[in-house]
Amino acid sequence: MRSLRVDSDSPEQTQLLGSHLGRLAHNADVFLLVGELGTGKTCLVQGIANGLAVEEYAFSPSFVILREYHGRLPLYHIDLYRLEDTGEIASLGLEDYLYGDGVCAVEWADRGLEMFSGDSLLVSLRYMPDSQTRRSICLRPRGERYRELAGQLALITGINAEIQDG
Ligand SMILES: Nc1ncnc2c1ncn2[C@@H]1O[C@H](COP(=O)(O)OP(=O)(O)OP(=O)(O)O)[C@@H](O)[C@H]1O
Ligand SMILES: [Mg+2]
């Protein structure tokens, strides 16, 4: 499976997708989230937190790049929006969190892609024309672990999921 496309018609549906991801998540999983402002990246992370049984409310890290939540596994919510330049990312010490003892969800991951060269699930969110609340969400697994995860997600989300390229 190369990618999985799910349409979301509401913030709740995006959160539900996230909560499936959170429930299926393993230690050291990396979810890279890309998409324009307001497409629903934080909304998806709220769902991931929920699926990991995090009790605090996950919100967009405004002036911090990394927030840690405690659930079934630690959740590291990283937001690279305010990164001044791509050189800065090297000084953040994010390697300490990646592929380690918890789950990383990275908003604006496209601002630091060189940092995330390992296996991951790339989640791209897009606005759909003529709708305030419709989003197209594409999940691209890189590596065996994420192909398996995408397969499990496809089973759970059923008919809303469209599997491309077999
Ligand atoms: N189908 C949908 N999925 C997700 N959010 C939606 C949807 N429809 C409407 N929304 C609204 O869009 C907004 C998404 O905001 P959110 O903070 O999650 O976006 P974001 O991608 O994290 O933005 P930013 O780039 O600023 O971090 C929310 O106000 C949410 O209610
Ligand atoms: Mg956000």
Side-chain angles (χ1 to χ4, degrees), residues 37-38 40-43 45 59-61 77 79 81 107-108:
L37 278 171
K41 299 178 294 296
T42 301
C43 186
V45 177
F59 52 94
S60 222
H77 182 189
D79 190 334
Y81 183 64
E107 293 192 43
W108 293 97

Side-chain angles (χ1 to χ4, degrees), residues 133-144:
T133 57
R134 186 159 251 254
R135 305 287 190 269
S136 169
I137 304 176
C138 185
L139 302 111
R140 293 187 187 83
R142 185 165 59 195
E144 195 45 48

Side-chain angles (χ1 to χ4, degrees), residues 65 79-92 94 108-116:
I65 283 181
D79 190 334
L80 300 181
Y81 183 64
R82 281 170 194 81
L83 210 61
E84 297 284 334
D85 63 83
T86 49
E88 193 190 334
I89 195 171
S91 65
L92 297 173
L94 294 179
W108 293 97
D110 39 339
R111 302 199 167 183
L113 276 184
E114 70 278 11
M115 181 90 211
F116 311 113

Side-chain angles (χ1 to χ4, degrees), residues 1-149:
M1 177 191 300
R2 273 203 212 139
S3 65
L4 190 68
R5 205 190 112 190
V6 188
D7 285 341
S8 163
D9 285 315
S10 66
E12 293 74 24
Q13 280 188 16
T14 299
Q15 285 180 347
L16 183 65
L17 178 71
S19 70
H20 289 312
L21 277 176
R23 269 193 290 274
L24 294 168
H26 287 178
N27 222 12
D29 274 354
V30 174
F31 303 137
L32 303 180
L33 314 183
V34 303
E36 289 173 50
L37 278 171
T39 43
K41 299 178 294 296
T42 301
C43 186
L44 192 81
V45 177
Q46 285 161 355
I48 294 172
N50 181 272
L52 282 166
V54 167
E55 286 179 5
E56 306 130 276
Y57 180 75
F59 52 94
S60 222
S62 51
F63 294 104
V64 292
I65 283 181
L66 183 134
R67 246 171 228 284
E68 183 175 345
Y69 295 96
H70 302 274
R72 174 175 68 80
L73 299 169
L75 171 64
Y76 303 111
H77 182 189
I78 297 167
D79 190 334
L80 300 181
Y81 183 64
R82 281 170 194 81
L83 210 61
E84 297 284 334
D85 63 83
T86 49
E88 193 190 334
I89 195 171
S91 65
L92 297 173
L94 294 179
E95 317 79 51
D96 295 348
Y97 298 94
L98 286 171
Y99 318 111
D101 69 340
V103 176
C104 283
V106 189
E107 293 192 43
W108 293 97
D110 39 339
R111 302 199 167 183
L113 276 184
E114 70 278 11
M115 181 90 211
F116 311 113
S117 52
D119 288 356
S120 64
L121 185 70
L122 180 66
V123 184
S124 321
L125 298 96
R126 276 190 301 127
Y127 288 108
M128 298 294 276
D130 306 321
S131 171
Q132 298 283 325
T133 57
R134 186 159 251 254
R135 305 287 190 269
S136 169
I137 304 176
C138 185
L139 302 111
R140 293 187 187 83
R142 185 165 59 195
E144 195 45 48
R145 155 69 190 139
Y146 299 94
R147 281 192 285 277
E148 178 195 304
L149 178 65

